[in-house]
Amino acid sequence: ALNGQKHWQPAWRDTEPKSHYDIIIIGGGGHGLATAYYLAKVHGLRNIAVLEKGWIGGGNTGRNTTIVRSNYRLKPLHDLFEFGLKLWHNLSDELNYNVMFSPRGAMFLGHSDADMVKLAERGDAMRCDGIDADLMTRDEVAKLEPLLDMSRSARFPIEGGLIQRRGGTARHDAVAWGYARGADSFGVDIIQKCEVTGFVREGDAVVGVETTQGRIGAGRVGICVAGHSGHVAGLAGLKLPVESQTLQAMVTEGVKPMINSVIMSQSLHCYISQSDKGGIVFGGDPDNWPSYAQRGHPMVMEGAIAQGLALVPALSRLRMVRTWSGVTDMSFDGSPIIGETPVRNLYLNGGWCYGGFKATPASGWTYAHTLATGSAHPLNAPFSLERFMTGATIDETGTGPMPN
Ligand code: FAD
């Protein structure tokens, strides 16, 4: 600002597509950019392009509520998300870019004895896998978040909680920008306003993509388009076990610090945190019908706000300044899909539902391995597309509703 917003150096090059790349990644969100970064950094590949139909980070990466945690219930998810959480803790140093990772604690509230049993089970499962989890009494919850309505007459009485203290939030845009700059510094081409509209086939293999900037050849192609997974895979004749749904969020005007952790309620599917600018960020359930509209139904947001105000009545004094939404690809078992597709040279990273931001580093790391070697990384092996045929699903949704 001191130089009048002039003379800024672009953080990555604006390039024209080449005629051929060893690897093309479709989708310039955090996952696609992280994949490109680790392909270059870890696997030494250089002839890589990321094709983005809009602008990088303009999809769910720039629309999410920034919650980062690894407090899942099932082992394959523990392994993947915990690996990611460890990468988060060092990500600003790794990228030399401040992603503002803030491990302020991610806390689930329990509203009944049954909730508390489920939280205790989840905490036990996490600790068995070496992940930190502390079951909290009512008093401990009240001490951490004094503005919660802890009265016995509260609409949603609070019986206790489960906290992962290493969880928290990160600046979503910075994650996209940091990975983009890092990938660019290794020579990765980041091509914006370049929509993939079809695949070039030779027999049973993909050998390139058709785009709004022309045909581009590729050795391997990785789909990484979140809510558009079903659509893009459909261009290759695949029907995925995902449904695209809208997920909304909102933020209030900025205020002094009043929410100390990330507060999530499993039973309500409502979550609240405070951004570093001071705004209170709210989120809730997806609009539970298929849609590609990046605009949600007010009724759903109203429900989440009503729950949030019941939990923290002081929030009722704040003005909402913005609400927005993104298109999420809801998989049928609530877990992501990372790996091969039945089409040779075509790979898929999707099905992240409403919780893939936190996985960005792990998703990029493991997908890069798969794209570089043509085989699964041990951490993404359980998340194959094939599991929906063999029945080896990873049914996190069956363990209870999960906030972001
Ligand atoms: P995106 O960032 O969506 O990137 C995909 C890109 O692909 C887009 O930029 C899109 O333009 C591009 N694309 C699509 N089609 C094409 C095409 N044909 N050609 C070229 N490019 C194409 N997760 C959490 O872990 N914590 C949270 O707190 C959280 N909150 C959320 C709140 C909301 C409101 C939403 C919508 C999501 C939330 N999520 C959260 C989920 C998380 O945002 C996503 O899982 C994650 O960001 C997905 O990253 P991505 O890089 O795969 O997708």
PDB file of all heavy atoms in Angstrom, residues 322-358:
ATOM      1  N   ARG A 322     -21.581 -10.822   4.860  1.00  0.00           N
ATOM      2  CA  ARG A 322     -21.469 -11.565   3.601  1.00  0.00           C
ATOM      3  C   ARG A 322     -21.933 -12.986   3.789  1.00  0.00           C
ATOM      4  O   ARG A 322     -21.741 -13.576   4.847  1.00  0.00           O
ATOM      5  CB  ARG A 322     -20.002 -11.623   3.156  1.00  0.00           C
ATOM      6  CG  ARG A 322     -19.631 -10.568   2.168  1.00  0.00           C
ATOM      7  CD  ARG A 322     -18.219 -10.707   1.648  1.00  0.00           C
ATOM      8  NE  ARG A 322     -17.217 -10.928   2.667  1.00  0.00           N
ATOM      9  CZ  ARG A 322     -16.414 -11.983   2.709  1.00  0.00           C
ATOM     10  NH1 ARG A 322     -16.513 -12.941   1.814  1.00  0.00           N
ATOM     11  NH2 ARG A 322     -15.503 -12.103   3.653  1.00  0.00           N
ATOM     12  N   THR A 323     -22.546 -13.518   2.750  1.00  0.00           N
ATOM     13  CA  THR A 323     -22.812 -14.957   2.710  1.00  0.00           C
ATOM     14  C   THR A 323     -22.487 -15.437   1.310  1.00  0.00           C
ATOM     15  O   THR A 323     -22.571 -14.673   0.357  1.00  0.00           O
ATOM     16  CB  THR A 323     -24.270 -15.261   3.115  1.00  0.00           C
ATOM     17  OG1 THR A 323     -24.524 -16.640   2.899  1.00  0.00           O
ATOM     18  CG2 THR A 323     -25.273 -14.458   2.336  1.00  0.00           C
ATOM     19  N   TRP A 324     -22.061 -16.661   1.186  1.00  0.00           N
ATOM     20  CA  TRP A 324     -21.620 -17.184  -0.114  1.00  0.00           C
ATOM     21  C   TRP A 324     -21.775 -18.700  -0.077  1.00  0.00           C
ATOM     22  O   TRP A 324     -22.121 -19.274   0.956  1.00  0.00           O
ATOM     23  CB  TRP A 324     -20.147 -16.805  -0.357  1.00  0.00           C
ATOM     24  CG  TRP A 324     -19.217 -17.446   0.609  1.00  0.00           C
ATOM     25  CD1 TRP A 324     -18.586 -18.647   0.469  1.00  0.00           C
ATOM     26  CD2 TRP A 324     -18.832 -16.952   1.903  1.00  0.00           C
ATOM     27  NE1 TRP A 324     -17.829 -18.923   1.592  1.00  0.00           N
ATOM     28  CE2 TRP A 324     -17.969 -17.898   2.482  1.00  0.00           C
ATOM     29  CE3 TRP A 324     -19.141 -15.788   2.634  1.00  0.00           C
ATOM     30  CZ2 TRP A 324     -17.411 -17.734   3.750  1.00  0.00           C
ATOM     31  CZ3 TRP A 324     -18.583 -15.632   3.893  1.00  0.00           C
ATOM     32  CH2 TRP A 324     -17.731 -16.596   4.425  1.00  0.00           C
ATOM     33  N   SER A 325     -21.473 -19.324  -1.195  1.00  0.00           N
ATOM     34  CA  SER A 325     -21.516 -20.783  -1.173  1.00  0.00           C
ATOM     35  C   SER A 325     -20.573 -21.356  -2.225  1.00  0.00           C
ATOM     36  O   SER A 325     -20.077 -20.638  -3.101  1.00  0.00           O
ATOM     37  CB  SER A 325     -22.931 -21.281  -1.405  1.00  0.00           C
ATOM     38  OG  SER A 325     -23.361 -20.901  -2.677  1.00  0.00           O
ATOM     39  N   GLY A 326     -20.368 -22.641  -2.130  1.00  0.00           N
ATOM     40  CA  GLY A 326     -19.537 -23.375  -3.087  1.00  0.00           C
ATOM     41  C   GLY A 326     -20.221 -24.678  -3.439  1.00  0.00           C
ATOM     42  O   GLY A 326     -21.182 -25.091  -2.778  1.00  0.00           O
ATOM     43  N   VAL A 327     -19.732 -25.308  -4.492  1.00  0.00           N
ATOM     44  CA  VAL A 327     -20.321 -26.580  -4.935  1.00  0.00           C
ATOM     45  C   VAL A 327     -19.431 -27.717  -4.459  1.00  0.00           C
ATOM     46  O   VAL A 327     -18.250 -27.785  -4.823  1.00  0.00           O
ATOM     47  CB  VAL A 327     -20.440 -26.621  -6.473  1.00  0.00           C
ATOM     48  CG1 VAL A 327     -21.164 -27.891  -6.906  1.00  0.00           C
ATOM     49  CG2 VAL A 327     -21.155 -25.392  -6.989  1.00  0.00           C
ATOM     50  N   THR A 328     -19.987 -28.574  -3.631  1.00  0.00           N
ATOM     51  CA  THR A 328     -19.191 -29.667  -3.068  1.00  0.00           C
ATOM     52  C   THR A 328     -19.593 -30.983  -3.713  1.00  0.00           C
ATOM     53  O   THR A 328     -20.759 -31.188  -4.044  1.00  0.00           O
ATOM     54  CB  THR A 328     -19.418 -29.770  -1.545  1.00  0.00           C
ATOM     55  OG1 THR A 328     -20.802 -29.996  -1.314  1.00  0.00           O
ATOM     56  CG2 THR A 328     -19.007 -28.495  -0.848  1.00  0.00           C
ATOM     57  N   ASP A 329     -18.617 -31.860  -3.880  1.00  0.00           N
ATOM     58  CA  ASP A 329     -18.916 -33.174  -4.458  1.00  0.00           C
ATOM     59  C   ASP A 329     -19.059 -34.186  -3.321  1.00  0.00           C
ATOM     60  O   ASP A 329     -18.079 -34.681  -2.788  1.00  0.00           O
ATOM     61  CB  ASP A 329     -17.866 -33.598  -5.485  1.00  0.00           C
ATOM     62  CG  ASP A 329     -16.437 -33.395  -5.035  1.00  0.00           C
ATOM     63  OD1 ASP A 329     -16.210 -32.598  -4.105  1.00  0.00           O
ATOM     64  OD2 ASP A 329     -15.536 -34.044  -5.599  1.00  0.00           O
ATOM     65  N   MET A 330     -20.314 -34.450  -2.992  1.00  0.00           N
ATOM     66  CA  MET A 330     -20.613 -35.330  -1.858  1.00  0.00           C
ATOM     67  C   MET A 330     -20.496 -36.787  -2.313  1.00  0.00           C
ATOM     68  O   MET A 330     -21.258 -37.245  -3.169  1.00  0.00           O
ATOM     69  CB  MET A 330     -22.032 -35.065  -1.352  1.00  0.00           C
ATOM     70  CG  MET A 330     -22.317 -33.599  -1.023  1.00  0.00           C
ATOM     71  SD  MET A 330     -21.331 -32.975   0.337  1.00  0.00           S
ATOM     72  CE  MET A 330     -22.094 -33.798   1.716  1.00  0.00           C
ATOM     73  N   SER A 331     -19.538 -37.498  -1.738  1.00  0.00           N
ATOM     74  CA  SER A 331     -19.406 -38.921  -2.089  1.00  0.00           C
ATOM     75  C   SER A 331     -20.390 -39.722  -1.248  1.00  0.00           C
ATOM     76  O   SER A 331     -20.837 -39.271  -0.195  1.00  0.00           O
ATOM     77  CB  SER A 331     -17.976 -39.396  -1.832  1.00  0.00           C
ATOM     78  OG  SER A 331     -17.733 -39.400  -0.444  1.00  0.00           O
ATOM     79  N   PHE A 332     -20.665 -40.933  -1.679  1.00  0.00           N
ATOM     80  CA  PHE A 332     -21.729 -41.683  -1.014  1.00  0.00           C
ATOM     81  C   PHE A 332     -21.304 -42.273   0.329  1.00  0.00           C
ATOM     82  O   PHE A 332     -22.153 -42.711   1.094  1.00  0.00           O
ATOM     83  CB  PHE A 332     -22.276 -42.762  -1.956  1.00  0.00           C
ATOM     84  CG  PHE A 332     -23.112 -42.185  -3.082  1.00  0.00           C
ATOM     85  CD1 PHE A 332     -23.670 -43.002  -4.037  1.00  0.00           C
ATOM     86  CD2 PHE A 332     -23.330 -40.818  -3.184  1.00  0.00           C
ATOM     87  CE1 PHE A 332     -24.440 -42.461  -5.078  1.00  0.00           C
ATOM     88  CE2 PHE A 332     -24.092 -40.268  -4.207  1.00  0.00           C
ATOM     89  CZ  PHE A 332     -24.644 -41.094  -5.161  1.00  0.00           C
ATOM     90  N   ASP A 333     -20.012 -42.322   0.622  1.00  0.00           N
ATOM     91  CA  ASP A 333     -19.621 -42.774   1.970  1.00  0.00           C
ATOM     92  C   ASP A 333     -18.997 -41.635   2.779  1.00  0.00           C
ATOM     93  O   ASP A 333     -18.482 -41.856   3.877  1.00  0.00           O
ATOM     94  CB  ASP A 333     -18.681 -43.989   1.907  1.00  0.00           C
ATOM     95  CG  ASP A 333     -17.359 -43.693   1.187  1.00  0.00           C
ATOM     96  OD1 ASP A 333     -17.189 -42.563   0.679  1.00  0.00           O
ATOM     97  OD2 ASP A 333     -16.514 -44.605   1.136  1.00  0.00           O
ATOM     98  N   GLY A 334     -19.012 -40.429   2.234  1.00  0.00           N
ATOM     99  CA  GLY A 334     -18.497 -39.281   2.989  1.00  0.00           C
ATOM    100  C   GLY A 334     -16.980 -39.178   2.953  1.00  0.00           C
ATOM    101  O   GLY A 334     -16.399 -38.323   3.618  1.00  0.00           O
ATOM    102  N   SER A 335     -16.318 -40.021   2.206  1.00  0.00           N
ATOM    103  CA  SER A 335     -14.856 -40.005   2.150  1.00  0.00           C
ATOM    104  C   SER A 335     -14.389 -39.671   0.734  1.00  0.00           C
ATOM    105  O   SER A 335     -15.114 -39.907  -0.239  1.00  0.00           O
ATOM    106  CB  SER A 335     -14.297 -41.374   2.568  1.00  0.00           C
ATOM    107  OG  SER A 335     -14.583 -41.604   3.928  1.00  0.00           O
ATOM    108  N   PRO A 336     -13.151 -39.164   0.628  1.00  0.00           N
ATOM    109  CA  PRO A 336     -12.662 -38.747  -0.692  1.00  0.00           C
ATOM    110  C   PRO A 336     -12.315 -39.920  -1.601  1.00  0.00           C
ATOM    111  O   PRO A 336     -12.236 -41.075  -1.159  1.00  0.00           O
ATOM    112  CB  PRO A 336     -11.395 -37.962  -0.358  1.00  0.00           C
ATOM    113  CG  PRO A 336     -10.947 -38.500   0.953  1.00  0.00           C
ATOM    114  CD  PRO A 336     -12.190 -38.892   1.697  1.00  0.00           C
ATOM    115  N   ILE A 337     -12.099 -39.591  -2.855  1.00  0.00           N
ATOM    116  CA  ILE A 337     -11.658 -40.571  -3.850  1.00  0.00           C
ATOM    117  C   ILE A 337     -10.350 -40.035  -4.433  1.00  0.00           C
ATOM    118  O   ILE A 337     -10.312 -38.920  -4.960  1.00  0.00           O
ATOM    119  CB  ILE A 337     -12.701 -40.698  -4.991  1.00  0.00           C
ATOM    120  CG1 ILE A 337     -14.073 -41.063  -4.418  1.00  0.00           C
ATOM    121  CG2 ILE A 337     -12.242 -41.729  -6.024  1.00  0.00           C
ATOM    122  CD1 ILE A 337     -15.229 -40.836  -5.403  1.00  0.00           C
ATOM    123  N   ILE A 338      -9.271 -40.807  -4.300  1.00  0.00           N
ATOM    124  CA  ILE A 338      -7.975 -40.376  -4.849  1.00  0.00           C
ATOM    125  C   ILE A 338      -7.348 -41.589  -5.521  1.00  0.00           C
ATOM    126  O   ILE A 338      -7.001 -42.551  -4.835  1.00  0.00           O
ATOM    127  CB  ILE A 338      -6.982 -39.896  -3.765  1.00  0.00           C
ATOM    128  CG1 ILE A 338      -7.669 -39.012  -2.719  1.00  0.00           C
ATOM    129  CG2 ILE A 338      -5.800 -39.147  -4.391  1.00  0.00           C
ATOM    130  CD1 ILE A 338      -6.784 -38.697  -1.522  1.00  0.00           C
ATOM    131  N   GLY A 339      -7.215 -41.534  -6.840  1.00  0.00           N
ATOM    132  CA  GLY A 339      -6.550 -42.664  -7.477  1.00  0.00           C
ATOM    133  C   GLY A 339      -6.893 -42.797  -8.944  1.00  0.00           C
ATOM    134  O   GLY A 339      -7.309 -41.847  -9.602  1.00  0.00           O
ATOM    135  N   GLU A 340      -6.699 -44.025  -9.425  1.00  0.00           N
ATOM    136  CA  GLU A 340      -6.916 -44.312 -10.849  1.00  0.00           C
ATOM    137  C   GLU A 340      -8.395 -44.271 -11.186  1.00  0.00           C
ATOM    138  O   GLU A 340      -9.247 -44.427 -10.305  1.00  0.00           O
ATOM    139  CB  GLU A 340      -6.448 -45.738 -11.151  1.00  0.00           C
ATOM    140  CG  GLU A 340      -4.980 -45.970 -10.982  1.00  0.00           C
ATOM    141  CD  GLU A 340      -4.672 -47.461 -11.168  1.00  0.00           C
ATOM    142  OE1 GLU A 340      -5.457 -48.306 -10.707  1.00  0.00           O
ATOM    143  OE2 GLU A 340      -3.635 -47.747 -11.789  1.00  0.00           O
ATOM    144  N   THR A 341      -8.671 -44.129 -12.482  1.00  0.00           N
ATOM    145  CA  THR A 341     -10.029 -44.342 -12.977  1.00  0.00           C
ATOM    146  C   THR A 341      -9.956 -45.510 -13.959  1.00  0.00           C
ATOM    147  O   THR A 341      -8.854 -45.935 -14.343  1.00  0.00           O
ATOM    148  CB  THR A 341     -10.565 -43.098 -13.723  1.00  0.00           C
ATOM    149  OG1 THR A 341      -9.875 -42.992 -14.968  1.00  0.00           O
ATOM    150  CG2 THR A 341     -10.395 -41.825 -12.915  1.00  0.00           C
ATOM    151  N   PRO A 342     -11.090 -46.010 -14.427  1.00  0.00           N
ATOM    152  CA  PRO A 342     -11.044 -47.093 -15.405  1.00  0.00           C
ATOM    153  C   PRO A 342     -10.449 -46.653 -16.743  1.00  0.00           C
ATOM    154  O   PRO A 342     -10.143 -47.499 -17.587  1.00  0.00           O
ATOM    155  CB  PRO A 342     -12.522 -47.472 -15.590  1.00  0.00           C
ATOM    156  CG  PRO A 342     -13.224 -46.925 -14.397  1.00  0.00           C
ATOM    157  CD  PRO A 342     -12.449 -45.740 -13.949  1.00  0.00           C
ATOM    158  N   VAL A 343     -10.285 -45.349 -16.953  1.00  0.00           N
ATOM    159  CA  VAL A 343      -9.704 -44.862 -18.211  1.00  0.00           C
ATOM    160  C   VAL A 343      -8.191 -44.720 -18.023  1.00  0.00           C
ATOM    161  O   VAL A 343      -7.741 -44.043 -17.078  1.00  0.00           O
ATOM    162  CB  VAL A 343     -10.318 -43.494 -18.609  1.00  0.00           C
ATOM    163  CG1 VAL A 343      -9.699 -42.974 -19.900  1.00  0.00           C
ATOM    164  CG2 VAL A 343     -11.824 -43.609 -18.733  1.00  0.00           C
ATOM    165  N   ARG A 344      -7.414 -45.357 -18.901  1.00  0.00           N
ATOM    166  CA  ARG A 344      -5.956 -45.323 -18.750  1.00  0.00           C
ATOM    167  C   ARG A 344      -5.433 -43.877 -18.810  1.00  0.00           C
ATOM    168  O   ARG A 344      -5.933 -43.075 -19.601  1.00  0.00           O
ATOM    169  CB  ARG A 344      -5.310 -46.182 -19.847  1.00  0.00           C
ATOM    170  CG  ARG A 344      -3.903 -46.639 -19.521  1.00  0.00           C
ATOM    171  CD  ARG A 344      -3.601 -47.994 -20.143  1.00  0.00           C
ATOM    172  NE  ARG A 344      -3.835 -48.004 -21.585  1.00  0.00           N
ATOM    173  CZ  ARG A 344      -2.949 -47.622 -22.502  1.00  0.00           C
ATOM    174  NH1 ARG A 344      -1.767 -47.178 -22.139  1.00  0.00           N
ATOM    175  NH2 ARG A 344      -3.240 -47.690 -23.781  1.00  0.00           N
ATOM    176  N   ASN A 345      -4.494 -43.554 -17.973  1.00  0.00           N
ATOM    177  CA  ASN A 345      -3.831 -42.235 -17.874  1.00  0.00           C
ATOM    178  C   ASN A 345      -4.717 -41.151 -17.250  1.00  0.00           C
ATOM    179  O   ASN A 345      -4.308 -39.994 -17.187  1.00  0.00           O
ATOM    180  CB  ASN A 345      -3.362 -41.698 -19.242  1.00  0.00           C
ATOM    181  CG  ASN A 345      -2.357 -42.602 -19.891  1.00  0.00           C
ATOM    182  OD1 ASN A 345      -1.765 -43.431 -19.213  1.00  0.00           O
ATOM    183  ND2 ASN A 345      -2.167 -42.453 -21.196  1.00  0.00           N
ATOM    184  N   LEU A 346      -5.917 -41.529 -16.829  1.00  0.00           N
ATOM    185  CA  LEU A 346      -6.808 -40.525 -16.223  1.00  0.00           C
ATOM    186  C   LEU A 346      -6.995 -40.852 -14.740  1.00  0.00           C
ATOM    187  O   LEU A 346      -7.350 -41.980 -14.385  1.00  0.00           O
ATOM    188  CB  LEU A 346      -8.168 -40.510 -16.931  1.00  0.00           C
ATOM    189  CG  LEU A 346      -9.148 -39.447 -16.427  1.00  0.00           C
ATOM    190  CD1 LEU A 346      -8.622 -38.037 -16.701  1.00  0.00           C
ATOM    191  CD2 LEU A 346     -10.524 -39.615 -17.075  1.00  0.00           C
ATOM    192  N   TYR A 347      -6.754 -39.853 -13.899  1.00  0.00           N
ATOM    193  CA  TYR A 347      -6.786 -40.036 -12.452  1.00  0.00           C
ATOM    194  C   TYR A 347      -7.793 -39.062 -11.847  1.00  0.00           C
ATOM    195  O   TYR A 347      -8.121 -38.038 -12.448  1.00  0.00           O
ATOM    196  CB  TYR A 347      -5.389 -39.814 -11.858  1.00  0.00           C
ATOM    197  CG  TYR A 347      -4.398 -40.829 -12.376  1.00  0.00           C
ATOM    198  CD1 TYR A 347      -3.809 -40.662 -13.631  1.00  0.00           C
ATOM    199  CD2 TYR A 347      -4.091 -41.960 -11.648  1.00  0.00           C
ATOM    200  CE1 TYR A 347      -2.927 -41.607 -14.135  1.00  0.00           C
ATOM    201  CE2 TYR A 347      -3.205 -42.915 -12.138  1.00  0.00           C
ATOM    202  CZ  TYR A 347      -2.628 -42.737 -13.390  1.00  0.00           C
ATOM    203  OH  TYR A 347      -1.770 -43.672 -13.890  1.00  0.00           O
ATOM    204  N   LEU A 348      -8.238 -39.421 -10.637  1.00  0.00           N
ATOM    205  CA  LEU A 348      -9.289 -38.620 -10.003  1.00  0.00           C
ATOM    206  C   LEU A 348      -8.915 -38.265  -8.566  1.00  0.00           C
ATOM    207  O   LEU A 348      -8.450 -39.115  -7.798  1.00  0.00           O
ATOM    208  CB  LEU A 348     -10.609 -39.413  -9.992  1.00  0.00           C
ATOM    209  CG  LEU A 348     -11.760 -38.767  -9.212  1.00  0.00           C
ATOM    210  CD1 LEU A 348     -12.256 -37.508  -9.921  1.00  0.00           C
ATOM    211  CD2 LEU A 348     -12.914 -39.753  -9.032  1.00  0.00           C
ATOM    212  N   ASN A 349      -9.150 -37.006  -8.232  1.00  0.00           N
ATOM    213  CA  ASN A 349      -9.045 -36.550  -6.842  1.00  0.00           C
ATOM    214  C   ASN A 349     -10.336 -35.764  -6.600  1.00  0.00           C
ATOM    215  O   ASN A 349     -10.530 -34.692  -7.173  1.00  0.00           O
ATOM    216  CB  ASN A 349      -7.811 -35.639  -6.703  1.00  0.00           C
ATOM    217  CG  ASN A 349      -7.652 -35.081  -5.304  1.00  0.00           C
ATOM    218  OD1 ASN A 349      -8.627 -34.761  -4.637  1.00  0.00           O
ATOM    219  ND2 ASN A 349      -6.412 -34.956  -4.876  1.00  0.00           N
ATOM    220  N   GLY A 350     -11.235 -36.318  -5.811  1.00  0.00           N
ATOM    221  CA  GLY A 350     -12.519 -35.637  -5.597  1.00  0.00           C
ATOM    222  C   GLY A 350     -13.284 -36.270  -4.456  1.00  0.00           C
ATOM    223  O   GLY A 350     -12.711 -36.979  -3.617  1.00  0.00           O
ATOM    224  N   GLY A 351     -14.567 -35.999  -4.425  1.00  0.00           N
ATOM    225  CA  GLY A 351     -15.412 -36.571  -3.373  1.00  0.00           C
ATOM    226  C   GLY A 351     -15.079 -36.064  -1.981  1.00  0.00           C
ATOM    227  O   GLY A 351     -15.320 -36.753  -0.988  1.00  0.00           O
ATOM    228  N   TRP A 352     -14.555 -34.838  -1.906  1.00  0.00           N
ATOM    229  CA  TRP A 352     -14.120 -34.328  -0.589  1.00  0.00           C
ATOM    230  C   TRP A 352     -15.279 -33.829   0.254  1.00  0.00           C
ATOM    231  O   TRP A 352     -15.095 -33.335   1.360  1.00  0.00           O
ATOM    232  CB  TRP A 352     -13.085 -33.215  -0.778  1.00  0.00           C
ATOM    233  CG  TRP A 352     -11.776 -33.761  -1.247  1.00  0.00           C
ATOM    234  CD1 TRP A 352     -11.317 -33.800  -2.532  1.00  0.00           C
ATOM    235  CD2 TRP A 352     -10.779 -34.415  -0.446  1.00  0.00           C
ATOM    236  NE1 TRP A 352     -10.087 -34.422  -2.572  1.00  0.00           N
ATOM    237  CE2 TRP A 352      -9.738 -34.809  -1.309  1.00  0.00           C
ATOM    238  CE3 TRP A 352     -10.662 -34.700   0.918  1.00  0.00           C
ATOM    239  CZ2 TRP A 352      -8.602 -35.475  -0.846  1.00  0.00           C
ATOM    240  CZ3 TRP A 352      -9.529 -35.358   1.371  1.00  0.00           C
ATOM    241  CH2 TRP A 352      -8.524 -35.737   0.496  1.00  0.00           C
ATOM    242  N   CYS A 353     -16.461 -33.894  -0.304  1.00  0.00           N
ATOM    243  CA  CYS A 353     -17.652 -33.450   0.428  1.00  0.00           C
ATOM    244  C   CYS A 353     -17.441 -32.016   0.909  1.00  0.00           C
ATOM    245  O   CYS A 353     -16.911 -31.203   0.189  1.00  0.00           O
ATOM    246  CB  CYS A 353     -17.977 -34.391   1.572  1.00  0.00           C
ATOM    247  SG  CYS A 353     -18.195 -36.087   1.036  1.00  0.00           S
ATOM    248  N   TYR A 354     -17.785 -31.760   2.168  1.00  0.00           N
ATOM    249  CA  TYR A 354     -17.625 -30.386   2.664  1.00  0.00           C
ATOM    250  C   TYR A 354     -16.397 -30.254   3.555  1.00  0.00           C
ATOM    251  O   TYR A 354     -16.320 -29.338   4.355  1.00  0.00           O
ATOM    252  CB  TYR A 354     -18.885 -29.898   3.385  1.00  0.00           C
ATOM    253  CG  TYR A 354     -19.572 -30.961   4.232  1.00  0.00           C
ATOM    254  CD1 TYR A 354     -18.951 -31.488   5.349  1.00  0.00           C
ATOM    255  CD2 TYR A 354     -20.851 -31.416   3.898  1.00  0.00           C
ATOM    256  CE1 TYR A 354     -19.579 -32.443   6.114  1.00  0.00           C
ATOM    257  CE2 TYR A 354     -21.483 -32.376   4.663  1.00  0.00           C
ATOM    258  CZ  TYR A 354     -20.836 -32.894   5.774  1.00  0.00           C
ATOM    259  OH  TYR A 354     -21.454 -33.851   6.527  1.00  0.00           O
ATOM    260  N   GLY A 355     -15.425 -31.173   3.410  1.00  0.00           N
ATOM    261  CA  GLY A 355     -14.315 -31.121   4.371  1.00  0.00           C
ATOM    262  C   GLY A 355     -12.939 -31.282   3.782  1.00  0.00           C
ATOM    263  O   GLY A 355     -12.039 -31.767   4.470  1.00  0.00           O
ATOM    264  N   GLY A 356     -12.722 -30.838   2.553  1.00  0.00           N
ATOM    265  CA  GLY A 356     -11.431 -31.122   1.922  1.00  0.00           C
ATOM    266  C   GLY A 356     -10.356 -30.072   2.113  1.00  0.00           C
ATOM    267  O   GLY A 356      -9.191 -30.327   1.801  1.00  0.00           O
ATOM    268  N   PHE A 357     -10.710 -28.895   2.622  1.00  0.00           N
ATOM    269  CA  PHE A 357      -9.673 -27.861   2.755  1.00  0.00           C
ATOM    270  C   PHE A 357      -8.546 -28.348   3.657  1.00  0.00           C
ATOM    271  O   PHE A 357      -7.368 -28.218   3.347  1.00  0.00           O
ATOM    272  CB  PHE A 357     -10.275 -26.564   3.296  1.00  0.00           C
ATOM    273  CG  PHE A 357      -9.239 -25.514   3.593  1.00  0.00           C
ATOM    274  CD1 PHE A 357      -8.515 -24.921   2.569  1.00  0.00           C
ATOM    275  CD2 PHE A 357      -8.966 -25.123   4.896  1.00  0.00           C
ATOM    276  CE1 PHE A 357      -7.541 -23.959   2.841  1.00  0.00           C
ATOM    277  CE2 PHE A 357      -8.002 -24.164   5.179  1.00  0.00           C
ATOM    278  CZ  PHE A 357      -7.289 -23.579   4.151  1.00  0.00           C
ATOM    279  N   LYS A 358      -8.938 -28.926   4.781  1.00  0.00           N
ATOM    280  CA  LYS A 358      -7.953 -29.372   5.761  1.00  0.00           C
ATOM    281  C   LYS A 358      -7.008 -30.427   5.190  1.00  0.00           C
ATOM    282  O   LYS A 358      -5.912 -30.624   5.677  1.00  0.00           O
ATOM    283  CB  LYS A 358      -8.652 -29.930   7.008  1.00  0.00           C
ATOM    284  CG  LYS A 358      -9.461 -31.188   6.721  1.00  0.00           C
ATOM    285  CD  LYS A 358     -10.209 -31.700   7.929  1.00  0.00           C
ATOM    286  CE  LYS A 358     -11.392 -30.867   8.307  1.00  0.00           C
ATOM    287  NZ  LYS A 358     -12.439 -30.762   7.255  1.00  0.00           N
TER     288      LYS A 358
END
